Amino acid sequence: MNAFENGVNLLGRIAIAALFLPAGLNKLAAFEGTSGYFSSLGLPMVAVLVWLVIAIEVLGGIAILIGYQTRLVAICLAIFTLLASIAGHAYWAVPADAVFIQQLLFFKNIAVVGGLLVLASAGAGSLSIDGRVRKDRSSGRPAVQA
């Protein structure tokens, strides 16, 4: 990647993290409300699932932001987002007056999945921890310096 591509990649990672990180922190701040919403969806083991979702969104958002294990994390977040879209925005199973909004949210999430898959393909670029580790490995230096 050249300098422009690395900069745009960083901006894209910031934008993706701006979706996941606040979502996870908001779920943490409103744990009871989130649990109630998950229960209303008929999801199993709600307390465990809420903690799992919070961890995925917060830790995944941070990892994407700093570019750590970006390809793997992007794939995991893409799968998570697809599953969350099916569970949380099932526009095919809502009353007619709710279809438009749920369909909009579902396909917005599908676009996020697409962006995450592109990020998984491209990697984080040089402005990331992954880029730093790759540079250190190619120069023969230890990845972690004292």
Side-chain angles (χ1 to χ4, degrees):
M1 282 187 203
N2 63 36
F4 173 77
E5 291 166 334
N6 283 309
V8 171
N9 183 290
L10 174 61
L11 290 175
R13 292 194 339 264
I14 290 168
I16 291 170
L19 174 67
F20 287 102
L21 191 53
L25 294 175
N26 287 337
K27 284 176 182 68
L28 182 60
F31 191 88
E32 292 301 318
T34 302
S35 296
Y37 175 66
F38 280 26
S39 291
S40 76
L41 296 174
L43 297 172
M45 301 184 306
V46 169
V48 173
L49 193 57
V50 171
W51 282 113
L52 180 63
V53 167
I54 290 168
I56 289 169
E57 290 180 337
V58 171
L59 297 176
I62 291 169
I64 291 293
L65 180 64
I66 64 176
Y68 177 74
Q69 296 291 318
T70 305
R71 293 176 192 267
L72 175 63
V73 172
I75 289 170
C76 291
L77 285 175
I79 293 167
F80 164 78
T81 302
L82 179 61
L83 295 174
S85 300
I86 293 167
H89 302 297
Y91 67 90
W92 52 88
V94 297
D97 62 338
V99 168
F100 177 75
I101 295 297
Q102 291 304 316
Q103 188 176 38
L104 183 69
L105 293 170
F106 179 86
F107 283 105
K108 180 255 324 164
N109 283 359
I110 297 304
V112 170
V113 169
L116 287 163
L117 293 175
V118 169
L119 183 58
S121 171
S126 66
L127 302 175
S128 66
I129 291 176
D130 293 346
R132 175 63 190 239
V133 168
R134 189 173 49 253
K135 181 180 175 185
D136 288 346
R137 285 184 185 152
S138 67
S139 69
R141 294 184 306 194
V144 178
Q145 307 248 340

